[in-house]
Amino acid sequence: LLYANGEIVLPESTTVQLAPGGRLLANAGRVEVQGDVVSAGGSVTLAARRTPFFAATTATDAPRLTLDG
């Protein structure tokens, strides 16, 4: 479980390998995954939420999630 008021960033050259059936929960004002998360039969939850550092007021600057792959 990862929680932050700011950002959680997984850099491009990083791989997080979860144990079979493992879980990853990342909850922050901004969650950016450029690297890889591998989960065999597990779960990955990424949540962007309002925080003191990310208090969005419009849809264009609200926290968002983009999946590519």
Side-chain angles (χ1 to χ4, degrees), residues 18 36 59:
L18 302 176
D36 297 312

Side-chain angles (χ1 to χ4, degrees), residues 12-38:
E12 184 176 345
S13 60
T14 304
T15 298
V16 173
Q17 176 77 46
L18 302 176
R23 293 185 332 169
L24 172 66
L25 169 62
N27 190 332
R30 180 170 180 248
V31 179
E32 183 175 342
V33 178
Q34 297 174 353
D36 297 312
V37 178
V38 180

Side-chain angles (χ1 to χ4, degrees), residues 8-67:
I8 296 173
V9 178
L10 180 64
E12 184 176 345
S13 60
T14 304
T15 298
V16 173
Q17 176 77 46
L18 302 176
R23 293 185 332 169
L24 172 66
L25 169 62
N27 190 332
R30 180 170 180 248
V31 179
E32 183 175 342
V33 178
Q34 297 174 353
D36 297 312
V37 178
V38 180
S39 176
S43 66
V44 177
T45 303
L46 308 174
R49 61 182 171 80
R50 289 183 182 204
T51 70
F53 301 112
F54 291 90
T57 57
T58 67
T60 57
D61 62 0
R64 62 187 176 276
L65 170 66
T66 302
L67 298 176

